[in-house]
């Protein structure tokens, strides 16, 4: 195995696969990246057995040669060691030569390093066959779907199913939901395909995957019984599913309310941020003439802020809210104005952007915790 590769393109590939390579692993072999030079280019593969990333550095990029002096082959090399050394180089090209199937001779900037390798055959067999329900979706649409829901997933492993984002497709609609049982997020987007599935993907993995889309315009998604795969550009990412049924979200969003509050998102967030530093809860007090946020703590004191821009429908109303949950929901909506809909001060309430019916947030009052 021998090749000369453009440093910038190699670093781009290593940066991609390193997201799946653990610093510490139960199986030490997963600390390596699998490098395979074939007819497509330099294929890089990294995995922690739960998520796998395969990307290819092609022979040509934008009409410019990126790999030359090529002799096919395959080997495993410590990912961090390789990444750190190539990152320090200032050469335009890096020379690799496999010596006696024992080590790489890597040459750059007048420097020669000889890291040991492991035979490629020793790497666990990972099935990356693109199977299952398949659809194409714009990268920014899928990223938005995840961004507006994943933050509501639980970070407690005691109930693993709630650490994921549930994706359900029924015909040409794709719905994502996430909850930690104190808050619930739901987002629906349209698909240009007829597909049917119901799976749950670890939220943290799904966020990392969408962050990897970079400049991709479209993503091809494959949903199988035990894995989900995302293909874009020269990269394929596979992640395991959470193997447990997700609670049904049907009819969870109330249809009627007794109180409605519309506010300017920025003004409300600024007031919420100021008063929330004085306690874990914030009390929202509102009538037709006045909207006030209050927080009080025996240790730190108290704070209150009045908001001038709002519209309220209903009688005098007061409710204790979790400021972090409300702030997260408003920021995820990304709208200029938001609407709160309440049934009572002891019932979950809904936060929405009235101009976007595709997303709902259901939050629990603090006194229900």
């Amino acid at each position: 195995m021998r090749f000369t590769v453009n440093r910038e393109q190699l670093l781009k590939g290593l940066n991609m696969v390193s997201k799946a390579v653990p610093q510490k692993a139960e199986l030490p072999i997963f600390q390596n990246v699998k490098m395979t030079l074939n007819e497509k280019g330099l294929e890089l593969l990294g995995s922690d057995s739960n998520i796998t990333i395969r990307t290819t550095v092609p022979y040509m990029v934008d009409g410019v040669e990126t790999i030359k002096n090529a002799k096919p082959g395959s080997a495993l090399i410590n990912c961090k060691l390789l990444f750190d050394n190539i990152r320090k180089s200032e050469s335009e090209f890096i020379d690799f030569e496999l010596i006696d199937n024992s080590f790489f001779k890597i040459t750059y900037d007048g420097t020669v390093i000889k890291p040991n390798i492991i035979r490629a055959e020793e790497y666990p067999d990972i099935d990356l066959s693109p199977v299952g329900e398949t659809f194409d979706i714009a990268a920014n649409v899928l990223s938005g779907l995840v961004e507006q829901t994943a933050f509501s997933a639980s970070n407690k492993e005691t109930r693993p199913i709630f650490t994921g984002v549930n994706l359900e497709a029924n015909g040409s609609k794709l719905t994502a939901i996430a909850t930690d049982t104190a808050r619930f997020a739901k987002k629906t987007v349209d698909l240009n395909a007829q597909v049917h599935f119901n799976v749950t993907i670890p939220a943290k993995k799904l966020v990392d995957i969408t962050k990897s889309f970079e400049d991709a315009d479209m993503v091809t998604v494959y949903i199988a019984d035990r894995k989900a795969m995302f293909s874009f550009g020269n990269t394929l990412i596979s992640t395991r599913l959470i193997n447990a049924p997700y609670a049904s979200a049907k009819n969870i969003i109330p249809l009627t309310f007794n109180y409605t509050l519309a506010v300017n998102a920025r003004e409300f967030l600024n007031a919420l941020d100021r008063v929330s530093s004085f306690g874990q809860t914030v009390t929202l007090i509102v009538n037709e003439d006045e909207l006030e946020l209050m927080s009080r703590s025996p240790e730190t004191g108290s704070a209150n802020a009045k908001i001038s821009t709002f519209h309220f429908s209903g009688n005098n109303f007061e409710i204790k809210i979790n400021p972090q949950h409300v702030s997260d929901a408003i920021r995820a909506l990304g709208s200029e104005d938001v609407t709160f809909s309440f049934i009572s001060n002891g019932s979950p309430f809904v936060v929405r952007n009235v101009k976007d019916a595709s997303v709902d947030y259901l939050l629990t009052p603090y006194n229900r915790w």
Side-chain angles (χ1 to χ4, degrees):
M1 181 181 184
R2 180 183 67 243
F3 59 93
T4 299
V5 61
N6 177 272
R7 170 186 174 274
E8 181 180 349
Q9 294 299 321
L10 176 59
L11 277 178
K12 183 179 179 181
L14 287 172
N15 183 59
M16 179 67 74
V17 299
S18 66
K19 297 172 184 176
V21 178
Q23 295 292 321
K24 296 182 180 180
E26 293 184 8
L27 291 177
I29 200 162
F30 281 128
Q31 293 177 293
N32 295 278
V33 58
K34 184 177 181 181
M35 304 178 69
T36 302
L37 188 66
N38 55 33
E39 70 281 359
K40 296 180 180 179
L42 179 62
E43 183 180 280
L44 306 173
L45 186 145
S47 179
D48 65 0
S49 78
N50 291 311
I51 186 169
T52 300
I53 301 178
R54 184 185 69 197
T55 193
T56 301
V57 179
Y59 284 96
M60 302 282 289
V61 174
D62 296 329
V64 178
E65 189 176 32
T66 55
I67 298 175
K68 50 191 176 182
N69 305 322
K71 180 180 179 180
S74 187
L76 307 179
I77 184 172
N78 183 277
C79 186
K80 185 178 186 305
L81 177 68
L82 178 61
F83 196 12
D84 287 347
N85 275 275
I86 301 305
R87 189 160 46 89
K88 295 173 184 176
S89 167
E90 295 181 356
S91 291
E92 182 180 0
F93 284 90
I94 311 291
D95 294 319
F96 284 76
E97 185 177 4
L98 183 60
I99 307 296
D100 298 329
N101 283 322
S102 298
F103 61 88
F104 266 124
K105 179 183 177 183
I106 304 176
T107 306
Y108 60 89
D109 297 340
T111 300
V112 177
I113 61 173
K114 298 179 178 180
N116 295 333
I117 62 98
I118 300 174
R119 290 171 56 87
E121 292 76 15
E122 296 187 34
Y123 202 78
D125 185 28
I126 299 175
D127 183 11
L128 293 178
S129 304
V131 296
E133 294 276 0
T134 305
F135 62 94
D136 294 327
I137 185 170
N140 64 331
V141 172
L142 183 54
S143 295
L145 182 77
V146 174
E147 183 179 351
Q148 290 190 299
T149 54
F151 69 90
S152 290
S154 175
N155 56 13
K156 297 179 180 178
E157 295 293 338
T158 52
R159 303 182 72 180
I161 189 62
F162 291 130
T163 64
V165 175
N166 179 256
L167 298 177
E168 181 177 8
N170 188 9
S172 60
K173 298 284 186 181
L174 174 62
T175 299
I177 62 174
T179 184
D180 59 6
T181 71
R183 56 182 172 177
F184 170 89
K186 177 183 177 182
K187 168 85 171 178
T188 300
V189 298
D190 294 322
L191 298 177
N192 292 320
Q194 294 291 318
V195 289
H196 296 82
F197 58 82
N198 189 319
V199 298
T200 303
I201 301 175
K204 291 181 180 179
K205 299 295 185 186
L206 194 54
V207 169
D208 289 342
I209 289 169
T210 57
K211 286 182 178 178
S212 299
F213 292 163
E214 296 179 343
D215 299 326
D217 293 324
M218 298 294 296
V219 179
T220 301
V221 182
Y222 304 88
I223 302 292
D225 292 338
R226 297 185 178 181
K227 64 183 179 182
M229 302 178 69
F230 304 82
S231 177
F232 53 97
N234 296 315
T235 300
L236 179 69
I237 302 180
S238 174
T239 181
R240 287 186 178 180
L241 306 177
I242 298 177
N243 187 23
Y246 205 91
S248 174
K250 292 181 179 179
N251 303 320
I252 194 171
I253 302 294
L255 298 178
T256 59
F257 302 92
N258 297 319
Y259 312 89
T260 302
L261 172 65
V263 298
N264 175 270
R266 178 178 295 183
E267 184 179 4
F268 191 89
L269 282 174
N270 287 340
L272 187 64
D273 183 58
R274 289 194 296 270
V275 302
S276 63
S277 59
F278 282 83
Q280 293 182 332
T281 67
V282 169
T283 301
L284 184 154
I285 305 170
V286 61
N287 56 46
E288 289 184 355
D289 301 316
E290 189 172 72
L291 170 59
E292 186 174 16
L293 298 177
M294 298 178 59
S295 183
R296 181 179 291 109
S297 167
E299 293 81 19
T300 58
S302 64
N304 67 291
K306 293 184 178 181
I307 296 173
S308 58
T309 306
F310 72 95
H311 177 77
F312 179 66
S313 175
N315 297 320
N316 296 354
F317 185 69
E318 179 177 323
I319 189 171
K320 290 185 181 294
I321 61 175
N322 180 309
Q324 188 61 58
H325 287 185
V326 172
S327 176
D328 287 345
I330 293 175
R331 294 182 192 281
L333 285 173
S335 58
E336 183 177 349
D337 300 303
V338 296
T339 297
F340 296 85
S341 300
F342 308 98
I343 297 175
S344 70
N345 60 9
S347 302
F349 58 97
V350 174
V351 185
R352 287 187 174 119
N353 169 11
V354 294
K355 295 180 181 179
D356 182 5
S358 71
V359 60
D360 289 304
Y361 296 117
L362 186 70
L363 308 182
T364 303
Y366 211 99
N367 56 8
R368 285 282 301 273
W369 286 34

